[in-house]
């Protein structure tokens, strides 16, 4: 509205795309559904380029990229079906990239709903990295591994009451009741004596304890490192994301104009080289929204170089003179 086109060729190009969407209602609805699901690709790409994107923003980008192949497919399919596919739309579509590699990478690396924080873990899919998978497995199944070690030592020593316990001072330990102390092997190192039992540690238990207690910190550090690498990789696509975002924005504009044309029953204006302005049954696009379409009386107008280059509009106050003037100007701007 602030910067209307004045180049006839460009105006006709845009009209052709708007007309295409007006005439293809089902396609228009399909494209509209996809556009509603898309995030701001340009902003997300720029944030990645500046190393500012958080995990949730990368997940937003991933989810947005998943819709691009469908958008291209339905528009290209229509292109195959009709002979007069708008040239401008065809050019715009060239910049709607599929980003298949980037999408697959983001899908492989990120969990479904990552947090916004970078250093608390819960960002990277554990199956994306073998070391991460081991650490997560150790953290999630610590009780199982301790239980397995307990079973193993019970069988090895023959002590039926042997059990693994934990306290903050000694960490994990084997507890043996006094009646079975004679079966305690030499590699058990005594740590604490109680009234009815004694507590021991072994090299294997100490190593397992170290792995379990350090797993969470290692997971956080590894996930942070993997996320930074992922964000760096995404930053390489910032220019393509910018071009793609602009192409989608153009499609969005054409679609919005088509939706508006259908909803308000606007017609496609005919542009001519001659100095003539002819409006038949013109309507004020703003006023009719305020007072209702049925309450607005349409106005026609014809001006040309020969017989009506200048018109003087007269009438009483509140007679509709300014409405007529503004309506004409707005129709020209919209055209």
């Amino acid at each position: 509205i602030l910067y209307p086109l004045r180049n006839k060729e460009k105006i006709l190009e845009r009209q052709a795309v708007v007309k295409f969407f007006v005439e293809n209602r089902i396609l228009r609805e399909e494209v509209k559904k996809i556009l509603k699901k898309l995030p701001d690709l340009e902003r997300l790409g720029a944030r990645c380029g500046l190393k500012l994107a958080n995990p949730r923003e990368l997940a937003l980008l991933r989810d947005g990229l998943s819709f691009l192949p469908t958008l291209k497919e339905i528009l290209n399919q229509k292109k195959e079906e009709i002979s007069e596919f708008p040239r401008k739309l065809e050019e715009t579509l060239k910049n709607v990239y599929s980003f298949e590699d980037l999408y697959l990478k983001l899908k492989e690396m990120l969990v479904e709903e990552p947090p916004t924080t970078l250093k608390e873990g819960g960002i990277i899919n554990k199956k994306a990295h073998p070391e991460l998978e081991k650490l997560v497995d150790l953290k999630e199944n610590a009780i199982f591994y301790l239980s397995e070690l307990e079973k193993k030592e019970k069988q090895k020593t023959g002590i039926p009451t042997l059990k693994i316990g934990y306290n903050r001072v000694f960490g994990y330990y084997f507890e043996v009741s006094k009646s079975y102390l004679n079966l305690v092997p030499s590699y058990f190192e005594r740590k604490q004596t109680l009234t009815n039992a004694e507590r021991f540690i072994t090299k294997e238990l100490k190593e397992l304890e170290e792995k379990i207690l350090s797993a969470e910190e290692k997971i956080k550090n590894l996930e942070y490192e993997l996320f930074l690498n992922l964000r760096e990789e995404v930053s390489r696509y910032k220019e393509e994301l910018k071009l793609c975002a602009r192409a989608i924005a153009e499609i969005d504009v054409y679609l919005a104009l088509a939706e508006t044309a259908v909803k308000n029953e606007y017609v496609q204006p005919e542009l001519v080289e001659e100095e003539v302005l002819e409006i038949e049954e013109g309507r004020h696009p703003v006023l009719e929204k305020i007072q209702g379409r049925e309450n607005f009386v349409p106005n026609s107008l014809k001006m040309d170089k020969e017989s009506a280059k200048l018109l003087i509009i007269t009438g009483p106050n509140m007679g509709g003179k300014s409405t007529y003037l503004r309506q004409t100007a707005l129709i020209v701007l919209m055209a």
Side-chain angles (χ1 to χ4, degrees), residues 118-167:
L118 273 65
K119 296 185 178 181
E120 293 305 310
I123 302 169
I124 306 294
N125 185 341
K126 65 180 181 182
K127 292 183 179 177
H129 194 277
E131 180 63 23
L132 181 62
E133 191 169 16
K134 282 181 189 174
L135 289 167
V136 172
D137 176 58
L138 189 62
K139 181 190 168 187
E140 291 177 350
N141 301 298
I143 293 171
F144 169 76
Y145 290 119
L146 288 164
S147 173
E148 286 296 297
L149 180 58
E150 186 184 282
K151 282 180 194 173
K152 176 184 156 186
E153 289 297 343
K154 268 185 183 178
Q155 288 173 355
K156 199 171 174 182
T157 61
I159 303 172
T161 59
L162 184 76
K163 64 180 181 182
I164 290 179
Y166 176 83
N167 68 31

Side-chain angles (χ1 to χ4, degrees), residues 35 37 39 43 45 61 70 77 90-91 106 115 131 149 155 165 177 202 205 216 219 221 238 267 284 290 293 307 322:
L35 293 184
K37 293 173 184 175
R43 177 182 170 275
L61 179 62
T70 309
Q77 190 177 336
E90 191 174 348
E91 286 174 6
L106 288 167
E131 180 63 23
L149 180 58
Q155 288 173 355
S177 55
T202 66
L205 180 60
E216 189 162 353
I219 287 168
N221 292 337
K238 65 179 181 181
V267 297
H284 193 298
I290 296 168
R293 175 89 175 268
S307 58
S322 60

Side-chain angles (χ1 to χ4, degrees), residues 240-254:
E240 289 94 329
L241 284 167
K242 189 176 179 180
L243 285 171
C244 184
R246 182 168 181 80
I248 289 166
E250 281 189 32
I251 293 169
D252 194 18
V253 168
Y254 301 137

Side-chain angles (χ1 to χ4, degrees), residues 260-267 281-299 323 327 330-331 334:
T260 305
V262 171
K263 185 179 175 183
N264 298 314
E265 296 182 10
Y266 293 154
V267 297
E281 298 287 292
R283 293 140 45 200
H284 193 298
V286 180
L287 200 57
E288 71 174 12
K289 290 289 183 189
I290 296 168
Q291 64 182 43
R293 175 89 175 268
E294 66 283 354
N295 296 318
F296 187 85
V297 179
N299 302 288
T323 296
Q327 166 191 309
L330 285 169
I331 288 172
M334 288 168 69

Side-chain angles (χ1 to χ4, degrees), residues 30-75:
E30 287 176 344
V31 173
K32 188 164 71 170
K33 281 178 188 174
I34 293 171
L35 293 184
K36 279 185 176 180
K37 293 173 184 175
L38 290 178
D40 188 338
L41 294 178
E42 185 173 5
R43 177 182 170 275
L44 291 172
R47 281 184 65 78
C48 287
L50 295 167
K51 315 290 189 295
L52 294 173
N54 62 46
R56 195 166 291 173
E57 286 173 323
L58 282 198
L60 262 178
L61 179 62
R62 172 201 63 198
D63 297 343
L65 295 181
S66 70
F67 298 108
L68 296 184
T70 309
L71 179 64
K72 283 200 77 160
E73 185 184 342
I74 60 174
L75 286 168

